[in-house]
Amino acid sequence: MSIRPLHDRIVVRRTEEEQKTAGGILLPGSAQEKPQQGEVIAVGKGQITDSGVRPLDVKVGDKVLFGQYAGQTVKVDGEELLIMKESDVLGVLE
């Protein structure tokens, strides 16, 4: 099954969670913070405005940063993905 976001929404796969702290301490699953970056795997057609449709600035394959509470988590084929608006993206990693 695949997912196609509508309008100005994007689908993001989070990067892997950190297993250790900077000091080398192993973290149990419950203590790990969810990463605030991921890879865009699908984008909508664009934002609808009065003058037409504005294409999105992000594209499939971009590495993006987003806020801790951005988007909605969904499960597709057993994989957790985030669906969020493009405006929830704080920046693109290059």
Side-chain angles (χ1 to χ4, degrees):
M1 174 173 34
S2 64
I3 186 166
R4 181 178 52 94
L6 300 176
H7 307 298
D8 65 335
R9 288 183 169 73
I10 63 173
V11 179
V12 176
R13 179 183 297 125
R14 286 187 195 262
T15 57
E16 294 297 318
E17 292 126 5
E18 290 294 324
Q19 301 292 330
K20 284 194 230 180
T21 65
I25 299 172
L26 290 174
L27 295 172
S30 60
Q32 295 172 1
E33 288 186 21
K34 296 233 182 230
Q36 295 176 7
Q37 59 181 303
E39 179 181 358
V40 177
I41 60 170
V43 297
K45 301 238 183 224
Q47 183 178 17
I48 298 174
T49 63
D50 293 336
S51 59
V53 177
R54 182 189 68 82
L56 301 180
D57 291 329
V58 297
K59 60 187 180 304
V60 173
D62 281 350
K63 305 277 189 215
V64 294
L65 296 172
F66 48 86
Q68 185 173 4
Y69 301 107
Q72 180 69 38
T73 303
V74 295
K75 232 176 197 179
V76 177
D77 292 336
E79 180 179 20
E80 282 195 10
L81 301 172
L82 279 172
I83 298 179
M84 65 180 73
K85 289 191 168 215
E86 183 189 36
S87 60
D88 290 337
V89 174
L90 303 174
V92 178
L93 297 171
E94 295 180 347

